[in-house]
Amino acid sequence: MSERFMKGAMVLSLSMFLTRLLGLLYVIPFQRMVGIGGMALYSYAYIPYSLLVTLSTLGIPLGIAKFISKYNADGEYDTSRKIFRVGMLIMIVVGLVGFLIMWIGAPLLADIAMAGEEELYNSRYDAIRAIRMVSFAVVVVPPMSIFRGFFQGNQDMTPTAMSQFVEQLVRVVLIITGSFLVTRVFGGSTQTAVQVSVFSAFVAGVSSMFVLYRYWQKKKHGFDALLALTRPHPKRPTKTLFKELLSYALPFAVLSLSVTWFQMIDIATFNAGMLRAGVPQDIAEGLFGIFTAGLLKIIMIPVSFSIAFGQPLIPEITEKIRNHDFKGVHKTLTSAIMLTSFITVPAVIGMSLLSNPIFVLLFDSGDLEMNVLGGAMFGTGAFIALFMALNGILSAIIQGIDRQFKALWFLLFAGIIKLIGNLVLIPLFEFQGAVFATILAYAFSLFMNYLEIRKTTGIGTRALLRRHLSIFTFAGMMALVVWLTTRVLDLFIDYTVSSGAAALYVLLAGTVGAVVYGGLTSYFDLDKMVFGKKLTLAGIMARFRRKA
């Protein structure tokens, strides 16, 4: 695996970890101020926003990255710059159109989310207002995606990482501050607090755009120097280039829709299925908020690593294929899959074992029944992260080897599985039905993507399984030690008493798990097999000192 790929992956990994961590930590005070009903209202607005943002950008960040990587490898730097300019103009228009669609379509989206009811915990009017408040952010995101894609195509992940972190930081600060002022200072409703919170996406987007523009100003001289090195090539009409970009970007958009695509299915079926199962309205809507907002934020922390490895993977693989370095392609694919599993498997098992105290720590509702239900949801739902992470890295590989259109069919069938699963399983198993349906959908997509990758690249299944056996063995040993640790902790710490007690419980058990897994992988040289060199604290500190 190239040093450039590892550097890009690690930069994005650190940024995404901090971004996801911020996105998780703000939920604690936010949920205290708006309740689980407010979390559900937040999801009613934010899930359609995420869907529309993905559609409006048309997968531009990854599409632009692949496009620019391809033409830079051929020395056509002027072609890369041309598509950057044209794409920016088009995305500004797309952002404005997306805003109008979401603003006008807010009543329809609210009807879908409320399962045809005029009022559950939240009213239809509350949902409409929240959706319209978040719609302003759609204006900013599409042009922002052009900048990120351009930098990623030039193998520079730092601007993307920094802009993502600043965007999340600004959003979290505004959510907490706005909610506090509305509910605690001015005595406003939780619905008003949520509307202020979703509007923060617009302000955060503007902040991120500013960061990217500053990086552009700083690096423009270097890009201009490359422009002067452009090799002679045939004239490439703008229309032809844009069609090529769409051929890359559109499949990326659809493939990146999987999370939001499945969440939209949950919006349309979760509340209705729970009501059919005989669950009271307030409990059903509260569990919807936990499932779509709380659980997703937890599992996206380990999943973010697969996204971080996937983003630099696409231009890396594209460049290697252009240079006919197929041995390098094979090595990169294997390493990326192993890195994802190495991090995700122990994290998922740990979250599942500590699901009850984690839920009390983050989402303590003050209601014993809801805490028990939430802990049970986290216990099984944690395994969604493993399927999401592996599916994410395989989707990136599929895109890098130009098999994205095959993956579109896999995603379509996965969505059908998710829909049928929700309709059948939620009335039978309540919220756990939604968890099972999601796992089944991701498992199908994961299996089909891998078969296509193996068929195209000849990646060795036996070697992957052998290395994964080590990961699962060490993670299983870690699980046993953590389980024994929880039995001891139960004698001294009652995590149901308070968030502080739950935090201490999770910290102690989690530290034991991390030490056991880290020690086993280091002693048996699994870390060397995955990272290419043995990880030591001294080595990590020395690298930081060199960077400083």
Side-chain angles (χ1 to χ4, degrees), residues 81-268:
R81 184 69 70 86
K82 181 178 182 179
I83 201 65
F84 171 72
R85 291 194 305 268
V86 174
M88 181 63 72
L89 292 174
I90 293 175
M91 286 297 103
I92 290 174
V93 175
V94 167
L96 293 172
V97 172
F99 160 75
L100 292 175
I101 291 173
M102 195 164 186
W103 182 278
I104 296 170
L108 176 61
L109 293 171
D111 287 336
I112 295 174
M114 301 294 290
E117 300 286 338
E118 191 65 29
E119 187 167 355
L120 297 175
Y121 173 84
N122 301 290
S123 69
R124 177 178 180 272
Y125 173 73
D126 295 330
I128 291 173
R129 288 196 63 186
I131 292 169
R132 284 180 170 168
M133 289 297 286
V134 79
S135 63
F136 291 96
V138 182
V139 177
V140 183
V141 175
M144 184 167 63
S145 68
I146 291 288
F147 268 125
R148 287 177 176 171
F150 183 80
F151 285 122
Q152 288 171 213
N154 283 281
Q155 306 291 328
D156 187 354
M157 305 299 162
T158 302
T160 295
M162 287 301 299
S163 67
Q164 288 173 340
F165 177 73
V166 169
E167 181 180 8
Q168 183 74 312
L169 180 63
V170 171
R171 192 172 73 90
V172 167
V173 169
L174 290 178
I175 286 174
I176 300 303
T177 304
S179 298
F180 178 80
L181 291 175
V182 170
T183 59
R184 300 291 192 267
V185 178
F186 299 111
S189 66
T190 58
Q191 285 78 13
T192 302
V194 171
Q195 289 157 15
V196 171
S197 298
V198 295
F199 182 74
S200 67
F202 170 71
V203 182
V206 172
S207 302
S208 177
M209 189 69 172
F210 176 76
V211 170
L212 289 166
Y213 182 70
R214 292 293 296 170
Y215 270 105
W216 168 256
Q217 288 183 316
K218 178 181 178 181
K219 296 175 178 289
K220 188 173 182 298
H221 293 298
F223 294 138
D224 288 343
L226 288 176
L227 194 62
L229 301 176
T230 298
R231 299 172 185 170
H233 60 84
K235 184 178 180 181
R236 304 193 183 279
T238 301
K239 184 178 179 180
T240 303
L241 292 175
F242 194 71
K243 284 183 178 180
E244 182 181 355
L245 174 61
L246 286 182
S247 72
Y248 298 151
L250 187 56
F252 291 169
V254 179
L255 290 170
S256 62
L257 275 173
S258 60
V259 176
T260 311
W261 168 224
F262 292 167
Q263 282 191 304
M264 285 298 295
I265 293 173
D266 288 323
I267 280 186

Side-chain angles (χ1 to χ4, degrees), residues 4 257 336 363 404 423 456 466 541:
R4 184 174 58 183
L257 275 173
F363 305 106
Q404 53 264 35
L423 293 174
T456 305
R466 187 166 56 247
M541 295 304 296

Side-chain angles (χ1 to χ4, degrees), residues 18-64:
L18 294 175
T19 299
R20 300 297 182 186
L21 185 61
L22 282 173
L24 174 63
L25 293 179
Y26 90 84
V27 173
I28 302 174
F30 182 58
Q31 189 268 341
R32 298 287 194 278
M33 288 183 279
V34 304
I36 55 177
M39 295 290 289
L41 180 61
Y42 185 87
S43 294
Y44 293 158
Y46 215 78
I47 292 174
Y49 158 73
S50 299
L51 176 67
L52 192 60
V53 161
T54 304
L55 290 174
S56 64
T57 56
L58 293 173
I60 288 297
L62 294 177
I64 282 280

